[in-house]
């Protein structure tokens, strides 16, 4: 909304039972020029506060019309949200009782004003109030106890609300208040409930999995059809999948994945992944799930003859898009009763919440979303997943989303581990190279990279820092060593963690990019200088040698994100 310059206006209209309208404008000194308007309508000692802005033509879902009602005679304030004539909510309270300091008098916009000051939540607020209009009015209900008309509000020296106009009007055709009883304003809630409701209505919430069991069960029947909104199990029970209808969102929405999980019998820390199956090419990962083998996918053969299925992009295939990489703790909930901590209680579930907004463009009209937890336990784990989208504008406009660019390049996280997909254990002799094209007009390119090292003995890559080198067109561009040294923070998530003679627990030890009970954050590498055309990306890691029957491996996933002109 562009700044609106309003002259200070006092317009008197004759008529019996006159009512008043005050118009306020809010802006930020040194800001971008945006101004919002608020109307204050008055009838005797009753005030209604509402927006003075032009209504948005295409608002985001869940947008409410706000009204605030002040009855000075009754010492009450009512806040109201209106979604439709039949869906209204409200809460009531008394007038505030603030403690102001009086700072003298000043003339503001032609009005003689008394200046007041108050500090709230470390914010310094200055208020200029006049008696000249012989009205008691404010656009901010939390300052309804001021003795006069608020002419100017200033927070921390730069956020301004200013009186821009006063009109004396004929009586309104409709009553200023919908009634005298609180129930006339709508369903009565508490202040906290009303605030939460307003936010929840704006959030687009898509439930995906609800306590889905992820366990090892070689007797399951492999589904061959994937109907909408049905949770299906694959890979001997260690992958769950659902097909969803999806509505394209405006680019300003922030999309989050919320995951909760707890042990349903498995005592160990396990690799988990929330992923999306791209379906835009001749083959996709669903082919492997239905066949119960990853061998139907394009594969890479290392120098030792090992094959690695479905891990990198080809002209006919796109790898899984990893939304969240997470790790289960040791036995949360299921094993809480067997051990105790002296000073803390065990948690009952792990929660992971991650921003996946930059991956939104790959969500089509329908999406295949899966979850994997690697385990060989018959009870396994219980997992829930919800996608939540939060608006950052009040306008619904999807045109910008068409300009976003997402290209999945590689993913070595073997989500079909329990159906034979190989671990990413080739880095000791080979690197991972993928060829890709940058389309004309693509800019602001970034590599979204997730990496974790595995090999659970003293000198395995899980416990030894290893540099990941990213090469572009054969030239080293980035060197990154994933390492988490805060794992002891999550002790209360790990009741089944092994405890050692030295006072440490297994879950306390630092690891290569992860801790039991945490999600691994993506790392972003700037590739904005890439020109249109063909390029290669290579991941090189000095993977440690195997010892006895143990080996190290690396789960790395990479997605190219950018913007089209």
């Amino acid at each position: 909304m562009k700044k609106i310059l309003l002259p200070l206006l006092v317009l008197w209209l004759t008529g019996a039972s006159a009512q008043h309208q005050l118009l306020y404008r809010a802006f930020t000194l040194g800001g971008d020029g945006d101004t919002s308007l608020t109307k204050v309508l008055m009838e005797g000692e009753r005030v209604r506060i509402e927006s003075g802005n032009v209504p948005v033509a295409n608002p985001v879902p869940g947008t409410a019309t706000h009204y605030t009602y002040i009855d000075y005679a009754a010492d009450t304030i009512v806040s109201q949200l209106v979604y439709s004539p039949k869906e209204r909510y409200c809460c009531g309270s008394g007038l505030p009782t603030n403690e102001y300091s009086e700072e003298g008098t000043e003339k503001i916009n032609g009005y003689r004003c008394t200046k007041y000051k108050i500090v709230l939540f470390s914010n310094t607020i200055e208020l200029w109030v006049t008696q000249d209009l012989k009205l008691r009015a404010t656009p901010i209900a939390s300052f309804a106890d001021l003795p006069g008309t608020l002419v100017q509000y200033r927070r921390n020296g730069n956020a301004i609300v200013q009186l821009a106009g006063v009109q004396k009007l004929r009586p309104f055709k409709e009553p200023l208040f919908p009634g005298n009883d609180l129930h006339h304003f709508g369903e009565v809630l508490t202040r906290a409930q009303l605030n939460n409701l307003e936010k929840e209505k704006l959030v687009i919430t898509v439930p995906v999995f609800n306590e889905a069991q992820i366990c090892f069960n070689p007797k399951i029947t492999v589904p061959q059809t994937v109907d909408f909104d049905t949770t299906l199990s694959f890979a001997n029970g260690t992958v769950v999948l659902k097909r969803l209808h999806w509505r394209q969102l405006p680019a300003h929405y922030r999309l989050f994945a919320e995951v909760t999980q707890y042990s349903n019998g498995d005592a160990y820390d396990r690799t988990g992944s929330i992923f999306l199956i791209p379906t835009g090419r001749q083959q996709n990962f669903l082919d492997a799930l239905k066949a119960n083998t990853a061998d139907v996918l394009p594969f890479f053969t290392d120098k030792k003859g090992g094959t690695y299925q479905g891990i990198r992009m080809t002209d006919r295939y796109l790898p899984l898009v990893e939304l969240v990489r997470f790790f289960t703790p040791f036995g949360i909930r299921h094993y809480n009763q067997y051990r105790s901590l002296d000073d803390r209680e065990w948690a009952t579930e792990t929660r992971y919440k991650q921003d996946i907004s930059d991956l939104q463009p790959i969500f089509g009209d329908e999406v295949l979303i899966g979850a994997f937890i690697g385990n060989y336990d018959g009870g396994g784990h219980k997992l829930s997943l919800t996608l939540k989208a939060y608006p950052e504008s009040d306008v619904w406009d999807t045109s910008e989303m068409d300009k976003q660019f997402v290209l999945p390049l590689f993913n070595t996280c073997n989500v079909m581990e329990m159906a034979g997909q190989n671990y990413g254990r080739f880095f000791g002799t080979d690197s991972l190279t993928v060829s890709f094209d940058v389309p004309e007009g693509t800019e602001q390119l970034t590599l979204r990279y997730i990496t974790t090292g595995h090999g659970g003995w003293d000198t395995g890559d899980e416990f030894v820092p290893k540099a990941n080198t990213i090469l572009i067109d054969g030239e080293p561009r980035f060197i990154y060593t994933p390492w988490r040294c805060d794992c002891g923070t999550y002790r209360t998530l790990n009741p089944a963690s092994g405890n050692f003679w030295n006072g440490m627990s297994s879950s306390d030890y630092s690891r290569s990019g992860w801790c039991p009970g945490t999600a691994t954050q993506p790392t972003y590498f700037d590739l904005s200088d890439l020109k249109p055309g063909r390029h290669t990306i290579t991941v090189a890691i000095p993977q440690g040698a195997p010892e006895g029957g143990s080996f190290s491996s690396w789960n790395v996933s990479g997605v190219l994100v950018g913007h089209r002109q």
Side-chain angles (χ1 to χ4, degrees), residues 217-531:
N217 180 6
K219 296 182 180 180
I220 67 167
T221 300
V222 179
Q224 296 303 302
T225 59
V226 181
D227 296 326
F228 283 99
D229 302 317
T230 302
T231 300
L232 302 173
S233 293
F234 294 90
N236 293 319
T238 58
V239 169
V240 291
L241 185 75
K242 182 176 280 189
R243 185 189 298 272
L244 299 170
H245 293 288
W246 187 260
R247 182 184 184 187
Q248 187 184 57
L249 302 174
H252 64 75
Y253 271 84
R254 306 302 302 179
L255 181 62
F256 284 79
E258 293 188 359
V259 184
T260 60
Q261 79 81 38
Y262 60 88
S263 169
N264 194 48
D266 187 19
Y268 284 93
D269 54 336
R270 304 292 190 180
T271 299
S273 182
I274 305 298
F275 59 86
L276 179 148
I277 300 178
T279 57
R281 297 195 178 178
Q282 187 173 347
Q283 279 186 286
N284 63 66
F285 202 84
L286 183 59
D287 300 334
L289 292 174
K290 289 180 178 179
N292 203 33
T293 174
D295 291 340
V296 300
L297 299 176
F299 60 87
F300 155 71
T301 303
D302 69 7
K303 292 176 182 177
K304 292 184 175 181
T307 58
Y308 303 87
Q309 315 98 319
I311 65 172
R312 62 182 180 180
M313 182 191 74
T314 71
D315 291 340
R316 302 174 58 197
Y317 170 79
L318 291 174
L320 295 177
V321 176
E322 189 164 39
L323 306 179
V324 182
R325 172 90 53 82
F326 67 95
F327 294 87
T328 74
F330 288 91
I332 191 169
R333 184 182 296 194
H334 191 82
Y335 291 90
N336 286 8
Q337 60 183 314
Y338 298 105
R339 295 172 180 167
S340 62
L341 295 171
D342 290 339
D343 56 345
R344 289 167 290 174
E345 298 293 327
W346 298 119
T348 58
E349 63 184 11
T350 44
R351 294 176 175 269
Y352 320 86
K353 183 171 182 176
Q354 198 159 89
D355 189 342
I356 57 171
S357 303
D358 48 4
L359 301 177
Q360 283 189 73
I362 206 164
F363 284 61
D365 293 336
E366 60 180 68
V367 291
L368 290 164
I369 293 180
F372 156 74
I373 298 175
N375 73 99
Y376 285 99
D377 188 87
H381 302 256
K382 291 289 186 77
L383 177 141
S384 299
L385 169 65
T386 302
L387 301 179
K388 290 187 176 180
Y390 302 80
E392 294 202 323
S393 166
D394 55 359
V395 180
W396 184 272
D397 178 5
T398 61
S399 60
E400 282 298 314
M401 186 59 75
D402 296 332
K403 299 178 183 178
Q404 307 302 309
F405 174 78
V406 174
L407 181 65
L409 299 176
F410 53 84
N411 187 348
T412 68
C413 185
N414 54 332
V415 304
M416 289 189 70
E417 173 188 353
M418 282 69 196
Q421 188 181 14
N422 207 350
Y423 294 85
R425 53 189 294 188
F426 55 84
F427 287 103
T429 57
D430 296 73
S431 56
L432 174 64
T433 298
V434 181
S435 297
F436 63 96
D437 292 303
V438 175
E440 288 285 347
T442 305
E443 57 187 14
Q444 301 173 24
L445 287 172
T446 303
L447 175 67
R448 183 185 192 266
Y449 183 67
I450 301 176
T451 177
T452 52
H454 305 273
W457 73 100
D458 289 354
T459 57
D461 283 12
E462 179 174 327
F463 298 109
V464 178
K466 294 293 179 72
N468 291 215
T469 300
I470 309 293
L471 301 91
I472 301 297
D473 298 328
E475 296 295 325
R477 286 287 299 274
F478 309 102
I479 297 176
Y480 169 67
T481 301
W483 193 245
R484 288 289 293 265
C485 53
D486 62 335
C487 295
T489 305
Y490 308 100
R491 183 70 186 93
T492 58
L493 305 179
N494 290 276
S497 175
N499 299 312
F500 302 120
W501 65 270
N502 62 357
M504 289 190 66
S505 187
S506 175
S507 63
D508 295 340
Y509 281 90
S510 302
R511 288 168 167 82
S512 287
W514 63 279
C515 299
T518 67
T520 295
Q521 305 306 309
T523 301
Y524 290 86
F525 298 112
D526 181 14
L527 297 175
S528 57
D529 61 336
L530 284 187
K531 305 300 183 185

